[in-house]
Coordinates of all heavy atoms in Angstrom, one line a residue:
P62 N 20.4 -28.1 16.3 CA 21.0 -27.2 17.4 C 22.2 -26.4 17.0 O 22.4 -25.4 17.6 CB 21.5 -28.4 18.4 CG 21.3 -29.7 17.8 CD 20.3 -29.5 16.6
V63 N 22.9 -26.8 16.1 CA 24.0 -26.0 15.6 C 24.0 -25.4 14.1 O 24.2 -24.3 14.0 CB 25.4 -26.9 15.5 CG1 26.6 -26.1 15.2 CG2 25.6 -27.6 16.9
F94 N 32.7 -15.1 16.2 CA 31.5 -15.6 16.9 C 30.4 -16.0 15.9 O 29.3 -16.2 16.3 CB 31.0 -14.5 17.9 CG 31.9 -14.2 18.9 CD1 32.9 -13.3 18.9 CD2 31.9 -14.9 20.1 CE1 33.8 -13.0 19.9 CE2 32.8 -14.8 21.1 CZ 33.7 -13.8 21.0
N127 N 37.8 -19.2 21.0 CA 36.5 -19.0 21.8 C 35.6 -20.3 21.4 O 36.1 -21.2 20.6 CB 35.8 -17.7 21.3 CG 35.3 -17.8 19.9 OD1 34.7 -18.9 19.6 ND2 35.2 -16.7 19.4
V128 N 34.5 -20.4 22.1 CA 33.7 -21.6 22.0 C 33.3 -21.9 20.6 O 33.2 -23.0 20.2 CB 32.7 -21.5 23.1 CG1 31.7 -20.4 22.8 CG2 31.8 -22.8 23.1
T129 N 32.9 -20.8 19.9 CA 32.4 -21.1 18.5 C 33.5 -21.8 17.7 O 33.2 -22.6 16.9 CB 31.9 -19.8 17.8 OG1 30.9 -19.2 18.7 CG2 31.4 -20.0 16.4
R131 N 36.2 -23.1 18.7 CA 36.6 -24.5 19.3 C 35.8 -25.6 18.6 O 36.2 -26.6 18.1 CB 36.5 -24.5 20.8 CG 37.8 -24.0 21.5 CD 37.7 -24.5 22.9 NE 36.6 -24.4 23.7 CZ 36.2 -23.3 24.4 NH1 36.9 -22.3 24.3 NH2 35.1 -23.3 25.0
Q132 N 34.4 -25.3 18.7 CA 33.5 -26.3 18.1 C 33.7 -26.5 16.6 O 33.6 -27.7 16.1 CB 32.1 -25.9 18.6 CG 31.9 -26.1 20.0 CD 30.5 -25.8 20.4 OE1 29.6 -25.4 19.7 NE2 30.2 -26.1 21.7
P289 N 21.2 -13.9 21.0 CA 21.6 -12.5 21.5 C 21.8 -11.5 20.4 O 21.8 -10.3 20.8 CB 22.8 -12.9 22.2 CG 23.4 -14.1 21.7 CD 22.2 -15.0 21.3
G321 N 20.2 -19.3 15.6 CA 21.4 -18.6 16.2 C 21.6 -18.8 17.7 O 22.4 -18.0 18.3
L322 N 21.0 -19.8 18.4 CA 21.1 -19.9 19.8 C 22.5 -20.2 20.3 O 22.9 -20.0 21.3 CB 20.1 -21.0 20.3 CG 18.6 -20.6 20.1 CD1 17.7 -21.7 20.5 CD2 18.2 -19.2 20.7
Q323 N 23.4 -20.8 19.3 CA 24.7 -21.1 19.6 C 25.5 -19.7 20.0 O 26.5 -19.8 20.7 CB 25.5 -21.9 18.5 CG 26.0 -21.1 17.4 CD 27.3 -20.3 17.6 OE1 28.1 -20.8 18.3 NE2 27.6 -19.1 16.9
G324 N 24.9 -18.6 19.6 CA 25.6 -17.3 19.9 C 25.7 -17.0 21.4 O 26.6 -16.3 21.7
W325 N 24.7 -17.7 22.1 CA 24.9 -17.4 23.6 C 26.2 -18.0 24.2 O 26.7 -17.5 25.2 CB 23.6 -18.1 24.3 CG 22.5 -17.4 24.2 CD1 21.3 -17.7 23.5 CD2 22.2 -16.1 24.9 NE1 20.4 -16.7 23.7 CE2 20.8 -15.7 24.4 CE3 22.9 -15.1 25.5 CZ2 20.2 -14.6 24.8 CZ3 22.3 -14.0 25.9 CH2 21.0 -13.6 25.5
L326 N 26.6 -19.1 23.6 CA 28.0 -19.7 24.2 C 29.0 -18.6 24.1 O 29.6 -18.5 25.1 CB 28.3 -20.9 23.3 CG 27.2 -22.1 23.3 CD1 27.7 -23.1 22.2 CD2 27.0 -22.7 24.6
G327 N 29.3 -18.1 23.0 CA 30.2 -17.0 23.0 C 30.0 -15.8 23.9 O 31.0 -15.3 24.5
M328 N 28.8 -15.3 23.9 CA 28.3 -14.2 24.6 C 28.6 -14.5 26.1 O 29.1 -13.7 26.9 CB 26.8 -14.0 24.4 CG 26.3 -12.7 25.0 SD 26.9 -11.2 24.1 CE 25.7 -11.2 22.6
D329 N 28.2 -15.7 26.6 CA 28.5 -16.2 28.0 C 30.0 -16.1 28.3 O 30.4 -15.8 29.4 CB 27.7 -17.5 28.3 CG 26.3 -17.4 28.3 OD1 25.8 -16.2 28.3 OD2 25.5 -18.3 28.2
E330 N 30.6 -16.7 27.4 CA 32.1 -16.8 27.6 C 32.7 -15.5 27.7 O 33.6 -15.3 28.7 CB 32.7 -17.6 26.4 CG 34.0 -18.4 26.9 CD 34.6 -19.2 25.6 OE1 34.8 -18.7 24.6 OE2 34.6 -20.4 25.9
R331 N 32.4 -14.6 26.9 CA 32.9 -13.2 27.0 C 32.5 -12.5 28.3 O 33.3 -11.9 29.0 CB 32.3 -12.3 25.7 CG 33.3 -12.4 24.7 CD 32.9 -11.5 23.6 NE 31.7 -11.9 22.9 CZ 31.1 -11.3 21.9 NH1 31.7 -10.1 21.4 NH2 30.1 -11.7 21.2
R332 N 31.2 -12.8 28.7 CA 30.8 -12.1 29.9 C 31.5 -12.6 31.1 O 32.0 -11.9 32.0 CB 29.3 -12.4 30.2 CG 28.7 -11.8 31.4 CD 27.2 -11.8 31.5 NE 26.5 -11.1 30.5 CZ 25.8 -11.6 29.6 NH1 25.6 -12.9 29.5 NH2 25.2 -10.8 28.7
R333 N 31.8 -13.9 31.2 CA 32.5 -14.5 32.3 C 33.9 -14.0 32.3 O 34.5 -13.7 33.3 CB 32.4 -16.1 32.2 CG 31.3 -16.8 32.8 CD 31.5 -18.1 33.1 NE 31.9 -19.0 31.9 CZ 31.2 -19.3 31.0 NH1 29.9 -19.2 31.1 NH2 31.7 -20.1 29.9

Side-chain angles (χ1 to χ4, degrees):
V63 184
F94 294 91
N127 72 36
V128 58
T129 301
R131 272 201 313 276
Q132 289 185 352
L322 300 177
Q323 81 84 30
W325 282 114
L326 299 175
M328 190 72 77
D329 289 346
E330 204 172 64
R331 268 186 288 184
R332 181 172 295 112
R333 276 199 306 276

